[in-house]
Amino acid sequence: MSTTAEVLTLTNEQYHQQHPGISHSAKECFRQSRELYRAQYVDRSIPWPEPTEAMLLGTAIHAAILEPDWFAANYVARPKIDRRTKEGKALAEQYERENAGKTVIDIDTLMTVNAVREAAMANRIVRTILEETPPEMREHTIAWTDAETGLECKSRRDIAHKNMLADLKTFGTPMSAAAVAKRVASLGYHRQAAFYLSGEFAFSSGDDK
């Protein structure tokens, strides 16, 4: 078991690109291919793959549910502008200046994100967990040293509730028990849960809290 652990204040970008700790994603990459792990995480000779549409949608849904204020401030809907006209080009340039640095999504995607958030908040259990979890305990990052391997590890938990960890996942249809179980197994969510819990045990039992 790990002996040291600490809470880190990091943005999602800083967590993924700047902090050197071993994450669940890195561990899964090593599990699949040591050569790929070395190329991506050590030598940095292979660029990170561009996120898919599904990944971008999942990221937006995460932000809308877990960090609604941040989502409102950093996501904007792309307006329908005819760039073929002089007026349209001017409007487009003005829009880009005013929203520099923000994530632009189309209106249909925004409607999907909002619909998913409303559905999640309509669930009594989900709503209660979110209401009982303060904002600083959502998208919550910890780092720890694993005593057995000496590796510096990290995890970014969606929700660190008072008596549980919760991780938000987005699924396609159909939403049956069998489909969810198959998804969990194929994507290794059970291994992710074990990794997150090892960090939680380190944090709750370590010397540095």
Side-chain angles (χ1 to χ4, degrees):
M1 183 175 289
S2 305
T3 56
T4 60
E6 61 178 333
V7 176
L8 302 176
T9 303
L10 300 173
T11 65
N12 190 56
E13 182 179 9
Q14 289 171 333
Y15 171 81
H16 287 290
Q17 298 185 7
Q18 297 180 21
H19 193 276
I22 300 297
S23 65
H24 167 71
S25 297
K27 179 178 65 66
E28 286 294 286
C29 180
F30 184 85
R31 177 177 174 272
Q32 295 169 11
S33 170
R34 296 185 180 186
E35 291 77 13
L36 178 60
Y37 175 87
R38 181 178 181 85
Q40 285 195 331
Y41 288 90
V42 180
D43 297 336
R44 305 281 182 172
S45 58
I46 296 180
W48 296 103
E50 291 294 324
T52 64
E53 290 295 324
M55 293 171 62
L56 292 173
L57 177 60
T59 299
I61 290 173
H62 265 70
I65 294 176
L66 301 175
E67 302 174 289
D69 292 340
W70 187 89
F71 176 80
N74 290 276
Y75 276 77
V76 293
R78 181 184 295 107
K80 294 182 179 180
I81 299 176
D82 187 354
R83 294 173 179 263
R84 295 172 298 179
T85 66
K86 182 178 180 179
E87 293 78 7
K89 290 180 180 179
L91 286 173
E93 291 175 357
Q94 179 182 353
Y95 175 82
E96 291 171 357
R97 288 194 303 270
E98 293 175 350
N99 294 284
K102 295 183 179 181
T103 300
V104 180
I105 56 179
D106 60 62
I107 189 65
D108 291 337
T109 300
L110 179 61
M111 292 176 64
T112 298
V113 171
N114 288 335
V116 172
R117 182 180 186 279
E118 290 176 6
M121 297 305 293
N123 182 285
R124 179 179 59 83
I125 296 175
V126 173
R127 185 177 67 253
T128 299
I129 291 174
L130 287 170
E131 289 175 349
E132 291 181 351
T133 305
E136 64 270 17
M137 299 303 288
R138 306 175 195 170
E139 292 290 350
H140 179 67
T141 298
I142 65 170
W144 69 98
T145 303
D146 183 77
E148 183 176 354
T149 62
L151 291 174
E152 298 297 325
C153 302
K154 64 179 180 179
S155 69
R156 188 168 177 84
R157 295 93 60 84
D158 288 350
I159 296 174
H161 190 257
K162 56 186 178 182
N163 59 5
M164 65 178 289
L165 296 180
D167 201 61
L168 179 64
K169 301 297 185 185
T170 53
F171 289 84
T173 54
M175 275 296 294
S176 65
V180 171
K182 183 177 180 180
R183 182 86 167 179
V184 168
S186 65
L187 294 180
Y189 289 157
H190 54 300
R191 292 188 296 272
Q192 181 181 15
F195 182 76
Y196 279 26
L197 286 174
S198 69
E200 180 64 17
F201 292 147
F203 182 70
S204 60
S205 63
D207 297 326
D208 300 330
K209 299 184 179 180

